[in-house]
Amino acid sequence: MIQTTLTVGLLLILFLLILKNVNCQHNNNIQCRFNYSVVVTANENGSYVYENIEIPSNLVYKATVVAIYDKNNISATNESTTTIEQRACICNVVPCLPICSWNLYDAYDRLPKTEDVEATFTKNVITSENKSVQMHLVKNFHAIEKNLSTVCTYISNLRPDVDRNSDWTLFEDGRLRLDYYDVIFNYKEFCFDFTYEKYDDIYGFFVDPQVCFKPPLKWHEALTGYAMLVSVPFFLLTIFCYGCILKTTNVYQKCLIPYLSFLSISYSLLGILRVGNIELEPIPCITVGYVNTFCVMSYLVWNCILCFEIWCSCTSVIRTSSYLLWYFIVGTLVPLLMIGLIYKAQTIDIPEDYKPGISESQCSILTSRWSALIYYYGPCIVATIFSVILFCKIWGYINTSTKASKNERQMFLLSVRLFQLMCASWTCDILSYFFSMLISKDIPLFVIPDSLNATQGIVIFYLYVCQRRVSDNIKRRYSRRQSHQVSREMETLTSTSNSRRRSM
Protein backbone atom coordinates (compact mmCIF):
# COMPACT_ATOMS: atom_id res chain seq x y z
CA MET A 1 0.00 0.00 0.00
CA ILE A 2 2.79 2.41 0.91
CA GLN A 3 4.73 1.48 -2.23
CA THR A 4 1.66 2.06 -4.37
CA THR A 5 1.08 5.49 -2.76
CA LEU A 6 4.72 6.49 -3.27
CA THR A 7 4.59 5.37 -6.91
CA VAL A 8 1.39 7.34 -7.57
CA GLY A 9 2.85 10.37 -5.79
CA LEU A 10 6.04 10.25 -7.84
CA LEU A 11 4.07 9.91 -11.08
CA LEU A 12 1.88 12.85 -10.07
CA ILE A 13 4.93 15.02 -9.27
CA LEU A 14 6.52 14.03 -12.62
CA PHE A 15 3.29 14.86 -14.45
CA LEU A 16 3.14 18.30 -12.81
CA LEU A 17 6.75 19.01 -13.72
CA ILE A 18 6.14 18.01 -17.35
CA LEU A 19 2.98 20.11 -17.47
CA LYS A 20 4.81 23.11 -16.03
CA ASN A 21 7.64 22.67 -18.52
CA VAL A 22 5.15 22.48 -21.40
CA ASN A 23 3.45 25.64 -20.22
CA CYS A 24 6.78 27.39 -19.95
CA GLN A 25 7.75 26.30 -23.42
CA HIS A 26 4.39 27.45 -24.71
CA ASN A 27 4.83 30.82 -23.12
CA ASN A 28 8.33 31.12 -24.51
CA ASN A 29 7.08 30.27 -28.00
CA ILE A 30 4.47 33.02 -28.01
CA GLN A 31 6.93 35.37 -29.65
CA CYS A 32 6.78 35.52 -33.45
CA ARG A 33 8.53 37.41 -36.21
CA PHE A 34 8.53 41.16 -35.65
CA ASN A 35 6.48 42.07 -38.71
CA TYR A 36 3.84 39.49 -37.68
CA SER A 37 3.31 41.19 -34.34
CA VAL A 38 1.69 44.45 -33.32
CA VAL A 39 1.95 46.81 -30.39
CA VAL A 40 -1.00 46.37 -28.02
CA THR A 41 -2.45 48.62 -25.35
CA ALA A 42 -3.26 47.40 -21.83
CA ASN A 43 -6.73 48.08 -20.40
CA GLU A 44 -7.57 48.63 -16.76
CA ASN A 45 -9.20 45.21 -16.54
CA GLY A 46 -5.95 43.50 -17.53
CA SER A 47 -6.88 42.78 -21.16
CA TYR A 48 -5.12 44.10 -24.25
CA VAL A 49 -6.51 45.68 -27.41
CA TYR A 50 -5.30 46.49 -30.91
CA GLU A 51 -7.58 48.63 -33.10
CA ASN A 52 -10.70 47.52 -31.21
CA ILE A 53 -9.54 43.89 -31.35
CA GLU A 54 -9.27 42.28 -27.93
CA ILE A 55 -6.07 40.27 -27.46
CA PRO A 56 -5.89 37.48 -24.84
CA SER A 57 -3.24 38.14 -22.24
CA ASN A 58 -1.52 34.80 -22.85
CA LEU A 59 -0.64 35.97 -26.38
CA VAL A 60 1.07 39.14 -25.20
CA TYR A 61 4.81 39.29 -24.58
CA LYS A 62 7.40 41.94 -23.89
CA ALA A 63 9.74 42.77 -26.76
CA THR A 64 12.96 44.70 -26.61
CA VAL A 65 13.15 47.17 -29.49
CA VAL A 66 16.34 48.97 -30.41
CA ALA A 67 15.73 52.22 -32.28
CA ILE A 68 18.52 54.13 -34.02
CA TYR A 69 17.98 57.81 -34.46
CA ASP A 70 19.96 60.77 -35.74
CA LYS A 71 20.82 63.25 -33.01
CA ASN A 72 20.40 66.90 -34.06
CA ASN A 73 19.90 65.73 -37.65
CA ILE A 74 23.62 65.02 -37.98
CA SER A 75 24.23 61.72 -39.68
CA ALA A 76 27.66 61.27 -38.10
CA THR A 77 26.25 61.06 -34.57
CA ASN A 78 23.82 58.18 -34.69
CA GLU A 79 22.57 57.00 -31.31
CA SER A 80 20.32 54.16 -30.25
CA THR A 81 17.67 53.74 -27.60
CA THR A 82 16.18 50.58 -26.17
CA THR A 83 12.49 50.39 -25.34
CA ILE A 84 10.24 47.65 -24.00
CA GLU A 85 6.98 47.15 -25.89
CA GLN A 86 3.93 45.03 -25.25
CA ARG A 87 3.46 43.08 -28.46
CA ALA A 88 1.18 40.27 -29.56
CA CYS A 89 1.11 37.86 -32.49
CA ILE A 90 -1.83 39.33 -34.33
CA CYS A 91 -2.05 36.35 -36.72
CA ASN A 92 -3.10 34.15 -33.77
CA VAL A 93 -6.17 36.32 -33.31
CA VAL A 94 -7.29 37.45 -36.77
CA PRO A 95 -6.41 36.05 -40.24
CA CYS A 96 -3.35 37.67 -41.75
CA LEU A 97 -2.82 38.39 -45.43
CA PRO A 98 0.67 38.80 -46.93
CA ILE A 99 0.68 41.69 -49.39
CA CYS A 100 3.46 42.44 -51.85
CA SER A 101 3.29 46.16 -51.17
CA TRP A 102 1.03 48.74 -49.61
CA ASN A 103 -0.09 49.58 -53.13
CA LEU A 104 -2.95 47.15 -52.53
CA TYR A 105 -4.36 49.21 -49.66
CA ASP A 106 -3.61 52.53 -51.37
CA ALA A 107 -5.48 51.40 -54.47
CA TYR A 108 -8.52 50.36 -52.43
CA ASP A 109 -8.57 53.70 -50.60
CA ARG A 110 -8.47 55.65 -53.85
CA LEU A 111 -10.89 53.57 -55.91
CA PRO A 112 -14.60 54.42 -55.75
CA LYS A 113 -16.44 51.89 -53.58
CA THR A 114 -18.57 50.44 -56.35
CA GLU A 115 -19.93 46.92 -56.56
CA ASP A 116 -17.22 45.92 -59.05
CA VAL A 117 -14.47 47.18 -56.76
CA GLU A 118 -15.88 45.42 -53.71
CA ALA A 119 -16.35 42.23 -55.72
CA THR A 120 -12.71 42.36 -56.87
CA PHE A 121 -11.43 42.68 -53.30
CA THR A 122 -13.80 39.99 -51.98
CA LYS A 123 -12.60 36.39 -52.28
CA ASN A 124 -13.85 32.98 -51.26
CA VAL A 125 -11.88 31.73 -48.24
CA ILE A 126 -11.85 28.23 -46.74
CA THR A 127 -12.31 28.37 -42.96
CA SER A 128 -11.04 25.94 -40.34
CA GLU A 129 -14.43 24.19 -40.52
CA ASN A 130 -13.77 23.56 -44.23
CA LYS A 131 -16.48 25.99 -45.27
CA SER A 132 -16.22 28.51 -48.07
CA VAL A 133 -17.08 32.05 -46.99
CA GLN A 134 -16.59 35.40 -48.66
CA MET A 135 -14.06 37.64 -46.96
CA HIS A 136 -12.81 41.09 -47.86
CA LEU A 137 -9.04 41.22 -48.34
CA VAL A 138 -8.77 44.70 -46.84
CA LYS A 139 -11.51 44.73 -44.21
CA ASN A 140 -11.30 41.18 -42.84
CA PHE A 141 -7.53 40.57 -42.92
CA HIS A 142 -4.58 42.07 -41.16
CA ALA A 143 -2.05 43.09 -43.81
CA ILE A 144 1.59 42.06 -43.58
CA GLU A 145 4.01 43.32 -46.22
CA LYS A 146 6.04 40.53 -47.81
CA ASN A 147 8.89 40.88 -50.32
CA LEU A 148 9.02 37.59 -52.21
CA SER A 149 12.26 38.44 -54.01
CA THR A 150 14.16 37.92 -50.75
CA VAL A 151 12.95 34.34 -50.29
CA CYS A 152 12.64 32.95 -53.84
CA THR A 153 14.22 33.43 -57.25
CA TYR A 154 11.23 32.62 -59.45
CA ILE A 155 7.92 34.41 -58.90
CA SER A 156 4.73 33.44 -60.73
CA ASN A 157 1.76 35.77 -61.08
CA LEU A 158 -1.52 33.91 -60.75
CA ARG A 159 -4.16 35.30 -63.10
CA PRO A 160 -7.26 33.06 -63.08
CA ASP A 161 -9.06 35.54 -65.34
CA VAL A 162 -6.60 34.95 -68.19
CA ASP A 163 -5.10 31.54 -67.37
CA ARG A 164 -7.27 28.64 -66.29
CA ASN A 165 -4.24 26.88 -64.79
CA SER A 166 -3.86 29.73 -62.28
CA ASP A 167 -6.95 29.04 -60.17
CA TRP A 168 -6.12 29.33 -56.49
CA THR A 169 -7.78 28.77 -53.12
CA LEU A 170 -7.10 30.86 -50.02
CA PHE A 171 -7.33 29.36 -46.52
CA GLU A 172 -8.14 31.29 -43.38
CA ASP A 173 -5.08 29.93 -41.56
CA GLY A 174 -2.70 31.68 -43.97
CA ARG A 175 -2.18 29.03 -46.65
CA LEU A 176 -2.80 29.24 -50.37
CA ARG A 177 -3.28 26.39 -52.82
CA LEU A 178 -2.58 26.41 -56.55
CA ASP A 179 -5.44 24.17 -57.63
CA TYR A 180 -4.19 22.95 -61.02
CA TYR A 181 -0.85 21.69 -59.64
CA ASP A 182 -2.22 20.91 -56.15
CA VAL A 183 0.61 22.83 -54.48
CA ILE A 184 0.13 24.53 -51.10
CA PHE A 185 2.12 27.63 -50.11
CA ASN A 186 2.59 28.98 -46.60
CA TYR A 187 2.49 32.67 -45.70
CA LYS A 188 6.21 33.02 -46.55
CA GLU A 189 5.74 31.85 -50.14
CA PHE A 190 3.02 34.12 -51.50
CA CYS A 191 1.66 37.65 -51.32
CA PHE A 192 -1.27 39.50 -52.84
CA ASP A 193 -0.72 42.30 -55.30
CA PHE A 194 -2.78 44.90 -57.14
CA THR A 195 -2.23 45.23 -60.89
CA TYR A 196 -3.79 47.38 -63.57
CA GLU A 197 -3.22 45.71 -66.94
CA LYS A 198 -4.62 45.36 -70.42
CA TYR A 199 -5.96 42.03 -71.71
CA ASP A 200 -7.68 41.66 -75.07
CA ASP A 201 -7.73 45.47 -75.52
CA ILE A 202 -9.62 45.90 -72.25
CA TYR A 203 -8.07 47.58 -69.23
CA GLY A 204 -8.88 46.20 -65.82
CA PHE A 205 -7.51 45.87 -62.32
CA PHE A 206 -6.81 42.55 -60.62
CA VAL A 207 -6.14 41.47 -57.05
CA ASP A 208 -4.37 38.13 -57.21
CA PRO A 209 -1.41 36.47 -55.51
CA GLN A 210 2.20 36.07 -56.49
CA VAL A 211 3.77 32.75 -55.49
CA CYS A 212 7.26 31.27 -55.24
CA PHE A 213 6.63 28.69 -57.91
CA LYS A 214 8.02 27.76 -61.30
CA PRO A 215 5.57 25.67 -63.34
CA PRO A 216 6.94 22.29 -64.39
CA LEU A 217 7.93 21.68 -67.97
CA LYS A 218 4.99 20.84 -70.21
CA TRP A 219 5.11 17.72 -72.35
CA HIS A 220 5.47 19.54 -75.66
CA GLU A 221 8.19 21.80 -74.23
CA ALA A 222 10.12 18.76 -72.97
CA LEU A 223 9.63 16.99 -76.31
CA THR A 224 10.90 19.88 -78.43
CA GLY A 225 13.66 20.73 -75.95
CA TYR A 226 15.14 17.23 -76.01
CA ALA A 227 14.67 17.01 -79.78
CA MET A 228 16.66 20.23 -80.21
CA LEU A 229 19.49 18.90 -78.07
CA VAL A 230 19.46 15.65 -80.06
CA SER A 231 19.61 17.62 -83.34
CA VAL A 232 22.70 19.60 -82.32
CA PRO A 233 25.19 16.65 -82.63
CA PHE A 234 23.82 15.89 -86.12
CA PHE A 235 24.35 19.52 -87.10
CA LEU A 236 27.93 19.31 -85.86
CA LEU A 237 28.52 16.00 -87.65
CA THR A 238 27.29 17.50 -90.93
CA ILE A 239 29.56 20.53 -90.44
CA PHE A 240 32.50 18.22 -89.66
CA CYS A 241 31.90 16.07 -92.75
CA TYR A 242 31.74 19.01 -95.17
CA GLY A 243 34.31 21.22 -93.48
CA CYS A 244 36.97 18.75 -92.33
CA ILE A 245 36.59 15.45 -94.18
CA LEU A 246 35.35 16.49 -97.61
CA LYS A 247 36.97 19.95 -97.51
CA THR A 248 34.42 21.06 -100.05
CA THR A 249 35.12 23.77 -102.60
CA ASN A 250 31.48 24.05 -103.67
CA VAL A 251 30.05 27.48 -102.80
CA TYR A 252 26.65 26.08 -101.89
CA GLN A 253 28.17 23.56 -99.48
CA LYS A 254 30.38 26.27 -97.96
CA CYS A 255 27.30 28.42 -97.39
CA LEU A 256 25.66 25.43 -95.72
CA ILE A 257 28.28 25.46 -92.93
CA PRO A 258 27.38 28.90 -91.40
CA TYR A 259 23.70 28.07 -91.81
CA LEU A 260 24.13 24.91 -89.74
CA SER A 261 26.43 26.68 -87.28
CA PHE A 262 23.82 29.29 -86.36
CA LEU A 263 21.20 26.57 -86.12
CA SER A 264 23.46 24.68 -83.69
CA ILE A 265 23.98 27.71 -81.44
CA SER A 266 20.29 28.62 -81.41
CA TYR A 267 19.16 25.04 -80.72
CA SER A 268 21.75 24.63 -77.96
CA LEU A 269 20.60 27.78 -76.16
CA LEU A 270 16.89 27.00 -76.49
CA GLY A 271 17.25 23.32 -75.62
CA ILE A 272 19.40 23.87 -72.52
CA LEU A 273 17.18 26.66 -71.19
CA ARG A 274 14.00 24.70 -71.87
CA VAL A 275 15.01 21.27 -70.62
CA GLY A 276 17.31 22.43 -67.85
CA ASN A 277 14.62 24.77 -66.50
CA ILE A 278 17.39 27.29 -65.88
CA GLU A 279 16.75 30.67 -64.29
CA LEU A 280 19.10 33.35 -65.57
CA GLU A 281 20.08 36.61 -63.96
CA PRO A 282 18.90 39.78 -65.75
CA ILE A 283 22.08 40.51 -67.73
CA PRO A 284 22.68 36.89 -68.90
CA CYS A 285 18.98 36.60 -69.78
CA ILE A 286 19.07 39.70 -71.98
CA THR A 287 22.35 38.54 -73.55
CA VAL A 288 20.93 35.12 -74.38
CA GLY A 289 17.84 36.78 -75.87
CA TYR A 290 19.85 38.93 -78.29
CA VAL A 291 22.33 36.15 -79.15
CA ASN A 292 19.54 33.72 -79.95
CA THR A 293 17.69 36.35 -81.99
CA PHE A 294 20.88 37.07 -83.95
CA CYS A 295 21.26 33.35 -84.68
CA VAL A 296 17.63 33.09 -85.83
CA MET A 297 18.01 36.09 -88.16
CA SER A 298 21.31 34.68 -89.42
CA TYR A 299 20.01 31.28 -90.45
CA LEU A 300 16.99 32.93 -92.08
CA VAL A 301 19.35 35.07 -94.17
CA TRP A 302 21.66 32.14 -94.94
CA ASN A 303 18.71 30.07 -96.10
CA CYS A 304 17.88 32.84 -98.57
CA ILE A 305 21.55 32.89 -99.63
CA LEU A 306 21.44 29.12 -100.26
CA CYS A 307 18.37 29.57 -102.45
CA PHE A 308 20.03 32.43 -104.33
CA GLU A 309 23.21 30.39 -104.91
CA ILE A 310 21.22 27.50 -106.36
CA TRP A 311 19.40 29.90 -108.67
CA CYS A 312 22.68 31.45 -109.80
CA SER A 313 24.33 28.06 -110.33
CA CYS A 314 21.43 26.55 -112.24
CA THR A 315 20.46 29.51 -114.43
CA SER A 316 23.94 31.07 -114.78
CA VAL A 317 22.27 34.48 -114.85
CA ILE A 318 24.79 36.06 -112.46
CA ARG A 319 28.37 34.98 -112.93
CA THR A 320 29.58 36.43 -109.64
CA SER A 321 27.75 33.86 -107.53
CA SER A 322 31.06 32.19 -106.75
CA TYR A 323 32.22 35.19 -104.71
CA LEU A 324 31.75 33.76 -101.25
CA LEU A 325 32.86 37.01 -99.58
CA TRP A 326 29.70 38.84 -100.63
CA TYR A 327 27.58 36.14 -99.07
CA PHE A 328 29.40 36.43 -95.76
CA ILE A 329 29.04 40.21 -95.81
CA VAL A 330 25.29 39.98 -96.41
CA GLY A 331 24.91 37.10 -93.93
CA THR A 332 26.57 39.23 -91.24
CA LEU A 333 25.30 42.75 -91.90
CA VAL A 334 21.60 41.96 -92.31
CA PRO A 335 21.28 40.12 -88.93
CA LEU A 336 23.29 42.89 -87.25
CA LEU A 337 20.95 45.52 -88.67
CA MET A 338 17.95 43.53 -87.44
CA ILE A 339 19.47 43.21 -83.97
CA GLY A 340 20.17 46.96 -83.95
CA LEU A 341 16.53 47.63 -84.85
CA ILE A 342 15.28 45.24 -82.16
CA TYR A 343 17.58 46.74 -79.52
CA LYS A 344 16.57 50.29 -80.46
CA ALA A 345 12.88 49.41 -80.35
CA GLN A 346 13.31 47.80 -76.93
CA THR A 347 15.16 50.77 -75.39
CA ILE A 348 13.34 53.79 -76.81
CA ASP A 349 10.25 55.27 -75.21
CA ILE A 350 7.40 53.65 -77.16
CA PRO A 351 4.28 51.80 -75.95
CA GLU A 352 5.06 48.40 -74.46
CA ASP A 353 2.90 46.61 -77.02
CA TYR A 354 5.25 47.74 -79.81
CA LYS A 355 8.45 46.54 -78.14
CA PRO A 356 10.12 43.18 -78.96
CA GLY A 357 9.86 42.05 -75.34
CA ILE A 358 13.48 41.00 -74.63
CA SER A 359 13.86 41.99 -70.99
CA GLU A 360 15.28 40.89 -67.65
CA SER A 361 12.63 38.22 -67.27
CA GLN A 362 12.00 37.36 -70.95
CA CYS A 363 15.05 35.77 -72.60
CA SER A 364 13.59 35.94 -76.12
CA ILE A 365 11.22 37.94 -78.30
CA LEU A 366 7.72 37.88 -76.87
CA THR A 367 5.64 36.02 -79.44
CA SER A 368 2.30 36.39 -77.66
CA ARG A 369 1.53 39.87 -78.99
CA TRP A 370 1.35 41.62 -82.36
CA SER A 371 4.81 43.19 -82.06
CA ALA A 372 6.28 39.77 -82.88
CA LEU A 373 4.93 40.24 -86.41
CA ILE A 374 7.50 43.02 -86.87
CA TYR A 375 10.54 41.54 -85.16
CA TYR A 376 10.21 37.78 -85.64
CA TYR A 377 7.43 36.57 -87.93
CA GLY A 378 7.94 39.43 -90.38
CA PRO A 379 11.48 38.25 -91.32
CA CYS A 380 10.14 34.65 -91.47
CA ILE A 381 7.44 35.72 -93.94
CA VAL A 382 9.95 37.65 -96.08
CA ALA A 383 12.41 34.71 -96.11
CA THR A 384 9.64 32.26 -97.01
CA ILE A 385 8.31 34.40 -99.87
CA PHE A 386 11.83 34.99 -101.21
CA SER A 387 12.65 31.28 -101.12
CA VAL A 388 9.35 30.28 -102.74
CA ILE A 389 9.83 32.72 -105.63
CA LEU A 390 13.38 31.54 -106.33
CA PHE A 391 12.49 27.86 -106.15
CA CYS A 392 9.55 28.33 -108.46
CA LYS A 393 11.88 29.98 -110.98
CA ILE A 394 14.49 27.25 -110.60
CA TRP A 395 11.84 24.56 -110.92
CA GLY A 396 10.61 26.07 -114.17
CA TYR A 397 14.16 26.37 -115.48
CA ILE A 398 15.05 22.74 -114.62
CA ASN A 399 11.91 21.40 -116.30
CA THR A 400 12.20 23.48 -119.47
CA SER A 401 15.92 23.87 -120.02
CA THR A 402 18.08 21.24 -121.68
CA LYS A 403 21.29 22.87 -120.43
CA ALA A 404 20.88 21.78 -116.83
CA SER A 405 23.49 19.19 -115.99
CA LYS A 406 23.02 16.10 -113.85
CA ASN A 407 24.94 17.66 -110.94
CA GLU A 408 22.78 20.77 -111.07
CA ARG A 409 19.65 18.66 -110.98
CA GLN A 410 20.96 16.61 -108.05
CA MET A 411 21.93 19.74 -106.12
CA PHE A 412 18.58 21.31 -106.85
CA LEU A 413 16.62 18.25 -105.74
CA LEU A 414 18.69 18.06 -102.56
CA SER A 415 18.03 21.72 -101.85
CA VAL A 416 14.34 21.25 -102.59
CA ARG A 417 14.16 18.71 -99.78
CA LEU A 418 15.78 21.16 -97.38
CA PHE A 419 13.50 23.93 -98.55
CA GLN A 420 10.42 21.74 -98.10
CA LEU A 421 11.46 21.08 -94.51
CA MET A 422 12.19 24.73 -93.73
CA CYS A 423 9.20 26.11 -95.63
CA ALA A 424 6.84 23.64 -93.95
CA SER A 425 8.08 24.52 -90.45
CA TRP A 426 8.05 28.29 -91.10
CA THR A 427 4.62 28.19 -92.70
CA CYS A 428 3.17 26.16 -89.82
CA ASP A 429 4.81 28.50 -87.34
CA ILE A 430 3.35 31.59 -89.03
CA LEU A 431 -0.12 30.04 -89.34
CA SER A 432 -0.11 28.92 -85.68
CA TYR A 433 0.85 32.47 -84.65
CA PHE A 434 -2.05 34.04 -86.55
CA PHE A 435 -4.39 31.32 -85.27
CA SER A 436 -3.44 32.01 -81.63
CA MET A 437 -3.72 35.78 -82.07
CA LEU A 438 -6.99 35.83 -84.02
CA ILE A 439 -8.91 32.72 -82.95
CA SER A 440 -7.75 30.93 -79.81
CA LYS A 441 -4.62 30.60 -77.68
CA ASP A 442 -5.84 27.42 -75.97
CA ILE A 443 -5.22 25.12 -78.97
CA PRO A 444 -1.46 24.35 -79.08
CA LEU A 445 -0.94 24.38 -82.85
CA PHE A 446 2.63 25.55 -82.24
CA VAL A 447 3.53 21.95 -81.34
CA ILE A 448 3.59 21.09 -85.07
CA PRO A 449 6.18 23.71 -86.19
CA ASP A 450 8.19 23.20 -83.01
CA SER A 451 8.41 19.47 -83.72
CA LEU A 452 9.41 20.08 -87.35
CA ASN A 453 12.07 22.58 -86.31
CA ALA A 454 13.41 20.38 -83.52
CA THR A 455 14.04 17.39 -85.80
CA GLN A 456 15.91 19.35 -88.48
CA GLY A 457 19.32 18.07 -87.37
CA ILE A 458 18.46 14.43 -88.05
CA VAL A 459 16.78 15.20 -91.38
CA ILE A 460 19.61 17.42 -92.63
CA PHE A 461 22.23 14.85 -91.61
CA TYR A 462 20.33 12.20 -93.57
CA LEU A 463 19.92 14.41 -96.63
CA TYR A 464 23.47 15.72 -96.81
CA VAL A 465 25.63 12.97 -95.31
CA CYS A 466 23.78 9.66 -95.54
CA GLN A 467 23.27 9.85 -99.30
CA ARG A 468 25.26 7.21 -101.19
CA ARG A 469 27.16 9.74 -103.29
CA VAL A 470 28.34 11.68 -100.22
CA SER A 471 29.04 8.63 -98.08
CA ASP A 472 31.04 7.02 -100.91
CA ASN A 473 33.04 10.21 -101.26
CA ILE A 474 33.77 10.23 -97.52
CA LYS A 475 34.82 6.56 -97.67
CA ARG A 476 37.13 7.20 -100.61
CA ARG A 477 38.77 10.11 -98.86
CA TYR A 478 39.14 8.10 -95.68
CA SER A 479 40.60 5.07 -97.49
CA ARG A 480 42.88 7.36 -99.52
CA ARG A 481 44.09 9.03 -96.34
CA GLN A 482 44.58 5.65 -94.69
CA SER A 483 46.50 4.26 -97.66
CA HIS A 484 48.62 7.41 -97.76
CA GLN A 485 49.42 6.94 -94.09
CA VAL A 486 50.32 3.26 -94.68
CA SER A 487 52.61 4.22 -97.55
CA ARG A 488 54.35 6.79 -95.38
CA GLU A 489 54.85 4.19 -92.67
CA MET A 490 56.28 1.76 -95.26
CA GLU A 491 58.64 4.42 -96.51
CA THR A 492 59.78 5.09 -92.97
CA LEU A 493 60.39 1.40 -92.30
CA THR A 494 62.26 1.01 -95.61
CA SER A 495 64.50 3.95 -94.93
CA THR A 496 65.19 2.68 -91.43
CA SER A 497 66.14 -0.80 -92.65
CA ASN A 498 68.38 0.64 -95.37
CA SER A 499 70.20 2.80 -92.84
CA ARG A 500 70.79 -0.20 -90.61
CA ARG A 501 72.23 -2.21 -93.52
CA ARG A 502 74.61 0.59 -94.40
CA SER A 503 75.78 0.83 -90.80
CA MET A 504 76.53 -2.91 -90.78
Side-chain angles (χ1 to χ4, degrees):
M1 183 67 180
I2 297 175
Q3 293 177 350
T4 303
T5 304
L6 289 175
T7 303
V8 173
L10 289 174
L11 290 175
L12 182 60
I13 294 172
L14 181 62
F15 175 78
L16 292 175
L17 290 175
I18 294 174
L19 183 62
K20 182 179 180 181
N21 189 31
V22 170
N23 288 334
C24 290
Q25 290 179 355
H26 178 72
N27 290 333
N28 291 334
N29 289 334
I30 289 176
Q31 297 188 19
C32 55
R33 297 181 61 180
F34 188 80
N35 60 331
Y36 286 83
S37 64
V38 293
V39 178
V40 295
T41 305
N43 290 333
E44 296 179 354
N45 58 2
S47 61
Y48 297 86
V49 292
Y50 169 76
E51 294 182 353
N52 299 325
I53 301 174
E54 187 173 352
I55 308 295
S57 58
N58 63 330
L59 296 179
V60 178
Y61 64 94
K62 294 182 179 180
T64 302
V65 180
V66 179
I68 300 177
Y69 66 95
D70 192 3
K71 184 179 179 181
N72 298 326
N73 295 325
I74 300 176
S75 59
T77 57
N78 289 333
E79 294 188 1
S80 61
T81 59
T82 302
T83 58
I84 305 298
E85 296 179 347
Q86 298 282 349
R87 304 188 70 89
C89 295
I90 188 63
C91 298
N92 292 355
V93 183
V94 296
C96 290
L97 183 74
I99 60 173
C100 303
S101 68
W102 293 106
N103 182 39
L104 177 66
Y105 274 59
D106 293 339
Y108 180 74
D109 292 338
R110 296 180 182 181
L111 288 172
K113 303 305 181 287
T114 61
E115 293 183 0
D116 293 337
V117 171
E118 296 297 331
T120 302
F121 282 85
T122 302
K123 307 293 182 181
N124 290 328
V125 181
I126 305 299
T127 63
S128 56
E129 291 83 13
N130 201 23
K131 296 181 180 179
S132 178
V133 297
Q134 289 189 345
M135 298 181 66
H136 198 279
L137 297 182
V138 174
K139 299 177 181 179
N140 301 126
F141 287 89
H142 176 75
I144 297 173
E145 189 173 6
K146 167 67 64 177
N147 186 7
L148 286 185
S149 60
T150 60
V151 296
C152 60
T153 57
Y154 193 92
I155 301 175
S156 297
N157 295 315
L158 304 185
R159 296 285 188 267
D161 297 315
V162 296
D163 185 8
R164 60 185 179 183
N165 296 339
S166 296
D167 291 339
W168 50 268
T169 301
L170 181 63
F171 295 88
E172 191 179 13
D173 58 0
R175 296 177 299 137
L176 184 134
R177 183 182 66 203
L178 183 55
D179 297 336
Y180 181 79
Y181 297 99
D182 195 21
V183 178
I184 294 185
F185 306 93
N186 57 36
Y187 63 89
K188 298 179 182 179
E189 299 171 326
F190 75 93
C191 63
F192 275 79
D193 196 14
F194 177 88
T195 56
Y196 185 74
E197 299 179 3
K198 179 181 179 181
Y199 287 101
D200 297 331
D201 297 330
I202 299 176
Y203 286 95
F205 60 90
F206 305 89
V207 180
D208 289 303
Q210 297 179 356
V211 295
C212 293
F213 179 70
K214 188 170 185 178
L217 204 63
K218 298 180 180 178
W219 67 269
H220 55 82
E221 294 176 342
L223 177 64
T224 56
Y226 283 111
M228 286 181 178
L229 293 180
V230 171
S231 293
V232 171
F234 289 96
F235 286 139
L236 299 179
L237 284 174
T238 307
I239 294 171
F240 179 75
C241 289
Y242 279 90
C244 298
I245 298 179
L246 295 177
K247 294 183 180 179
T248 179
T249 59
N250 185 282
V251 176
Y252 175 82
Q253 294 173 354
K254 285 185 177 181
C255 293
L256 187 66
I257 293 176
Y259 171 76
L260 297 178
S261 301
F262 288 115
L263 272 177
S264 302
I265 298 173
S266 178
Y267 278 33
S268 299
L269 291 175
L270 292 176
I272 292 173
L273 290 178
R274 186 171 297 180
V275 175
N277 211 9
I278 299 174
E279 301 174 11
L280 296 177
E281 296 295 328
I283 294 179
C285 181
I286 295 174
T287 303
V288 167
Y290 283 107
V291 169
N292 183 54
T293 304
F294 176 79
C295 292
V296 172
M297 299 301 163
S298 295
Y299 69 68
L300 286 175
V301 173
W302 278 103
N303 185 79
C304 295
I305 290 175
L306 290 172
C307 299
F308 182 76
E309 172 60 24
I310 297 173
W311 179 66
C312 292
S313 299
C314 293
T315 60
S316 300
V317 174
I318 302 178
R319 296 290 182 180
T320 59
S321 64
S322 59
Y323 289 112
L324 191 62
L325 178 62
W326 290 104
Y327 291 154
F328 277 93
I329 292 175
V330 173
T332 304
L333 287 181
V334 174
L336 285 177
L337 291 176
M338 284 299 302
I339 287 296
L341 172 65
I342 292 172
Y343 176 78
K344 190 66 176 178
Q346 184 64 36
T347 54
I348 62 176
D349 188 14
I350 59 175
E352 193 67 27
D353 291 341
Y354 295 99
K355 291 185 177 182
I358 300 177
S359 60
E360 298 178 354
S361 58
Q362 178 70 25
C363 305
S364 62
I365 292 178
L366 193 60
T367 57
S368 59
R369 57 191 185 191
W370 284 110
S371 62
L373 189 60
I374 303 173
Y375 308 106
Y376 181 77
Y377 290 101
C380 287
I381 294 173
V382 172
T384 303
I385 294 175
F386 180 83
S387 302
V388 168
I389 292 174
L390 284 182
F391 270 92
C392 289
K393 289 186 175 182
I394 299 170
W395 183 263
Y397 174 80
I398 293 292
N399 289 333
T400 58
S401 176
T402 58
K403 299 179 180 180
S405 63
K406 183 178 179 181
N407 291 331
E408 289 178 347
R409 292 178 181 274
Q410 288 179 349
M411 185 175 66
F412 172 70
L413 293 176
L414 186 63
S415 304
V416 165
R417 295 172 185 173
L418 176 63
F419 168 73
Q420 287 174 346
L421 174 66
M422 293 301 301
C423 185
S425 62
W426 291 349
T427 304
C428 291
D429 198 8
I430 295 168
L431 292 178
S432 66
Y433 169 72
F434 282 106
F435 182 86
S436 63
M437 296 298 295
L438 297 175
I439 301 177
S440 175
K441 295 182 179 181
D442 296 331
I443 302 176
L445 289 182
F446 55 85
V447 176
I448 300 175
D450 286 351
S451 302
L452 292 175
N453 287 326
T455 56
Q456 280 189 53
I458 302 173
V459 177
I460 289 175
F461 180 79
Y462 172 76
L463 291 177
Y464 285 89
V465 178
C466 296
Q467 299 298 316
R468 178 174 294 181
R469 180 173 58 87
V470 179
S471 59
D472 291 343
N473 194 2
I474 294 174
K475 290 178 182 179
R476 284 196 301 268
R477 286 182 176 269
Y478 179 75
S479 59
R480 189 183 307 166
R481 183 177 301 176
Q482 192 173 18
S483 62
H484 180 66
Q485 184 178 1
V486 170
S487 63
R488 290 184 61 183
E489 291 178 356
M490 291 298 294
E491 290 177 0
T492 304
L493 290 174
T494 305
S495 61
T496 304
S497 61
N498 291 334
S499 62
R500 286 181 179 177
R501 289 175 183 177
R502 291 173 184 172
S503 62
M504 291 177 65

